[in-house]
Amino acid sequence: MFFKRLRADINAAKKNDPAARSKFEIWLTYSGVKALSWHRYANFLYRIKLKLLARMTSQFAKWLTGIEIHPAAKIAGGVFIDHGTGVVIGETAEIEEGVVIYQGVTLGGTGKDKGKRHPTIKKGAMISAGAKVLGGFTVGEYAKIGAGAVVLKEVPPYATVVGVPGIVVRINGEKINDLEQEKRDPLHEEICHLREKLFNLEEKLERLEKRNSENENL
């Protein structure tokens, strides 16, 4: 099983990296392939309850490759981590075959919640450099996450997500809600929300002052 997944990882690198010259070179020099190989071993140790040794292995792999993968993360064969420096993959993350991950990507959580708190990345998805995918939701098959995007909710299959926070701008290559996307301004929305809260507080304060005034007159 280990060698089968290693072959799948090397084939994925050969398929996705035009600079790759040979499978032997990939096996010898690609940090993403090395990180995944170390992860398979760490995951094995984790599953047989040698959790401290598993964490030590994953930390050694991080020092060696610059890629941090929790030993409990579930990663299929045929995943390609390109360059990889700064990639972080959390404990309950699940990654299916054919996924491509670039440098600086975080598959993380949003707090101290228990249970499933890291994302599931479905087959063929691509996560570009510096993207942050945070939470226990699913990124659909063949979805594309743009560079630097911060994704906080589920992504449909074949969708393209960009921005902070991430929004879906295309599905199957076709633009969606184009006018609404252009008009959407998260800062403006937050200001409007705060103004509404302030208005409600002013109303409550006014009623309280009126009540106090009536009590004094009595």
Side-chain angles (χ1 to χ4, degrees):
M1 180 65 75
F2 173 83
F3 291 105
K4 182 180 179 181
R5 288 184 173 179
L6 176 59
R7 283 195 297 271
D9 294 340
I10 292 172
N11 289 335
K14 187 73 167 65
K15 175 183 176 182
N16 290 285
D17 187 359
R21 295 184 297 177
S22 70
K23 292 181 180 180
F24 179 73
E25 181 184 62
I26 291 170
W27 174 75
L28 200 62
T29 64
Y30 277 47
S31 59
V33 173
K34 291 179 182 294
L36 289 171
S37 296
W38 279 105
H39 171 69
R40 315 268 186 230
Y41 177 58
N43 181 255
F44 168 74
L45 294 173
Y46 195 88
R47 286 187 283 110
I48 62 172
K49 309 302 181 183
L50 297 176
K51 295 185 177 181
L52 176 59
L53 187 56
R55 290 306 300 266
M56 291 171 65
T57 301
S58 70
Q59 290 302 300
F60 174 73
K62 175 189 174 184
W63 172 80
L64 189 68
T65 65
I67 298 168
E68 182 173 359
I69 307 175
H70 193 284
K74 298 177 181 177
I75 304 178
V79 171
F80 178 44
I81 301 177
D82 193 12
H83 299 293
T85 302
V87 167
V88 178
I89 299 175
E91 179 183 7
T92 59
E94 299 176 46
I95 305 174
E96 296 187 357
E97 63 180 302
V99 171
V100 178
I101 298 173
Y102 290 92
Q103 66 270 20
V105 165
T106 299
L107 305 181
T110 55
K112 297 182 180 179
D113 298 333
K114 300 292 184 181
K116 175 66 172 167
R117 61 189 187 280
H118 301 98
T120 295
I121 314 298
K122 304 294 282 186
K123 179 179 178 180
M126 183 187 77
I127 307 179
S128 299
K132 313 300 177 188
V133 186
L134 308 175
F137 53 83
T138 298
V139 174
E141 294 182 353
Y142 300 98
K144 295 179 180 179
I145 309 299
V150 178
V151 184
L152 302 173
K153 60 184 180 181
E154 190 153 331
V155 177
Y158 297 93
T160 299
V161 175
V162 299
V164 181
I167 56 174
V168 177
V169 294
R170 292 178 184 270
I171 295 181
N172 283 323
E174 297 183 2
K175 291 184 179 181
I176 61 167
N177 298 328
D178 193 48
L179 186 60
E180 290 181 12
Q181 300 287 358
E182 288 178 3
K183 289 183 176 179
R184 187 173 181 271
D185 184 347
L187 181 59
H188 177 71
E189 291 174 3
E190 183 66 21
I191 291 172
C192 289
H193 178 65
L194 290 172
R195 287 179 64 184
E196 184 179 357
K197 288 182 70 174
L198 180 61
F199 178 76
N200 291 334
L201 287 171
E202 286 176 343
E203 276 195 329
K204 289 180 181 179
L205 181 61
E206 187 177 340
R207 287 197 298 268
L208 184 62
E209 288 177 345
K210 185 176 181 181
R211 188 181 306 161
N212 289 338
S213 176
E214 290 174 352
N215 290 337
E216 287 176 359
N217 291 333
L218 291 175

